[in-house]
Amino acid sequence: MATFSRGRQRIKALCCFRTLISGKFDYDLVVIGGGSGGLACSKEAAQLGQRVAVLDYVEPSLKGTKWGLGGTCVNVGCIPKKLMHQAALLGTAVKDARKYGWQIPESLSHDWSTMAEAVQNHVKSLNWVLILKQHCLYMTVTAKNIVLATGGRPKYPTHVPGAMEFGITSDDVFWLKESPKKTLVVGASYVALECAGFLTGIGLDTTVMVRSIALRGFDQQMSGLVTDYMEAYGTKFSWKCTPKSIEKLPSGLLRVTWMDLNTKEEHQDTFNSVLWAVGRASETKTLNLEKVGVEINKETGKIIVATDEATSVPNIFAIGDIAEGRPELTPTAIKAGKLLARRLVGHSTELMNYDNVSLLLHAYAFILVYHAFYKPLEFTVAERDATQCYIKVVCLREGDQRVLGMHFTGPNAGEVTQGFSLGFQCGLTYEHLRNTVGIHPTCAEELIKLNITKRSGLDATVTGC
């Protein structure tokens, strides 16, 4: 497998594929986009004996931030976000340690540059692992099959004066050399709340500006628990507000003017940084797709795909965030990429199952919800508030009560739910949960102890073991 890095190769690869009628191809597969999905697809195909090239190029952000191979998740997403989140958790753990007998100084401080350097060094190490061979040149290549996996980039609210000149996005925050200090996060997606959460956690004055509701598309009861928890731990929220303008003062501070949508009054405050988290746009505009006939949803910029990831043009496929109707999730793109590679080689006919990744429930009369408020054992001695620690399991009401979904707020939520997610592939039912012996004492065991339904109206607070 070869890896190339220059932007124009994307367009030339597509146009060349269109004009080549017969003869040998340079590669069996060309993957355009070196993110999680593209690399998973290319590596799987290479391991199956295919000649593969990956074409990747990252346009620097408006603030000049750039990175190597690996896409959003590795460079400006999941990986640096979790590491910075860990920094915040360690700060909380140090405070809890006093209750457990550790003699901790009352005054604690966090050094952004130390954290940032460590995180950035780790990300760079991943870049080096991913790069097998790199050529910085313009070239034309031909391929039997082409996979588009260019992902997306954060949006700017172009209607807000000063937004692009003075704001940053998630493409920048993880690569800042110095602390963003007092920060306004505009938006209420999970990207916005995750960033605001770790900024607050390391001791920065952080405000989240929300136009309507937080975590649109998520269970709103769970969303409320998340924002309540964040507020309890110091994150400020400006609800029903929208920014009007940003200007840079002689002091270097950013003066933000916004409108309260309820009162229609304008307000101002100054911040050191403004982080935009108002959505993402598909990276398809530079691919020259119209000339080769690839159908695109003009509103979203996403590529229309069939169940087998095929586009409207034979032998051109699309996976990951740029594919219409697909969850914008790294593990989904990785799995879809691997399965596509196997199908292209003829080793499998298995399609990606998206049903168990994302499921919308409309028939509320046919579901039963089991729930519980619980207190993690580690919260007890530390005397931490556990009112936002909550579990909800959504089941079909009839038959064997197949589990349709789970919600979990509390420590190590990702680790807990990953284990249970396997059950969805195996037809998990409520009885399976009830018949499982718990690992004690853990937060995960609370899921298999659920016995109170929302319909019953009974108190769902867990007491004792």
Side-chain angles (χ1 to χ4, degrees), residues 336-372:
K338 289 182 177 180
L339 292 176
L340 174 57
R342 293 169 193 166
R343 293 197 303 273
L344 293 178
V345 176
H347 279 233
S348 171
T349 59
E350 183 183 358
L351 299 174
M352 176 65 187
N353 181 0
Y354 292 99
D355 291 337
N356 286 337
V357 176
S358 177
L359 181 65
L360 294 177
L361 302 175
H362 298 288
Y364 296 106
F366 299 100
I367 66 173
L368 196 60
V369 178
Y370 293 89
H371 69 144

Side-chain angles (χ1 to χ4, degrees), residues 33 52 92 204 210 212 230 240 265 376 453:
V52 184
T92 301
L204 301 184
V210 187
S212 53
M230 293 178 68
K240 304 294 182 182
E265 296 178 347
T453 66

Side-chain angles (χ1 to χ4, degrees), residues 417-427:
T417 52
Q418 174 64 74
F420 283 98
S421 66
L422 174 62
F424 287 93
Q425 303 295 327
C426 305

Side-chain angles (χ1 to χ4, degrees), residues 109-305:
S109 62
H110 179 268
D111 183 68
W112 174 279
S113 61
T114 299
M115 175 191 68
E117 182 179 6
V119 170
Q120 292 159 13
N121 285 342
H122 176 70
V123 170
K124 289 174 183 176
S125 74
L126 297 178
N127 295 154
W128 281 110
V129 169
L130 292 170
I131 296 175
L132 300 181
K133 182 180 179 184
Q134 179 170 323
H135 298 286
C136 293
L137 45 83
Y138 296 111
M139 62 182 300
T140 299
V141 295
T142 60
K144 180 180 179 181
N145 291 302
I146 293 175
V147 173
L148 309 175
T150 50
R153 298 290 290 272
K155 293 179 181 178
Y156 276 89
T158 54
H159 65 283
V160 177
M164 299 177 70
E165 293 88 340
F166 306 123
I168 61 173
T169 69
S170 57
D171 275 0
D172 307 297
V173 68
F174 303 109
W175 290 89
L176 296 176
K177 300 298 183 185
E178 298 180 354
S179 171
K181 300 181 182 177
K182 182 181 178 182
T183 303
L184 173 66
V185 179
V186 183
S189 64
Y190 65 85
V191 173
L193 298 190
E194 285 174 345
C195 289
F198 76 72
L199 291 175
T200 299
I202 61 175
L204 301 184
D205 184 334
T206 308
T207 301
V208 179
M209 184 171 289
V210 187
R211 182 184 61 187
S212 53
I213 60 174
L215 298 174
R216 181 179 300 279
F218 287 74
D219 182 297
Q220 283 301 293
Q221 182 187 10
M222 307 306 292
S223 171
L225 291 172
V226 169
T227 54
D228 286 348
Y229 178 86
M230 293 178 68
E231 283 189 297
Y233 277 83
T235 303
K236 304 168 188 174
F237 282 83
S238 294
W239 297 99
K240 304 294 182 182
C241 293
T242 184
K244 301 287 289 183
S245 65
I246 303 177
E247 54 185 316
K248 193 167 188 177
L249 302 177
S251 64
L253 292 175
L254 302 177
R255 182 161 61 196
V256 180
T257 302
W258 70 89
M259 176 180 286
D260 184 315
L261 296 176
N262 288 325
T263 65
K264 304 303 179 183
E265 296 178 347
E266 286 194 356
H267 302 273
Q268 288 186 337
D269 196 0
T270 57
F271 299 87
N272 297 96
S273 302
V274 176
L275 172 61
W276 299 107
V278 293
R280 298 178 66 83
S282 299
E283 284 282 270
T284 55
K285 292 181 180 179
T286 62
L287 294 179
N288 207 26
L289 297 177
E290 295 80 2
K291 287 194 175 182
V292 293
V294 174
E295 186 180 359
I296 296 177
N297 181 326
K298 293 184 178 180
E299 290 186 8
T300 64
K302 296 196 173 191
I303 299 170
I304 307 299
V305 292

Side-chain angles (χ1 to χ4, degrees), residues 60-78:
S61 74
L62 292 177
K63 297 302 177 184
T65 308
K66 55 185 178 180
W67 54 87
L69 203 60
T72 295
C73 180
V74 167
N75 295 281
V76 289
C78 317

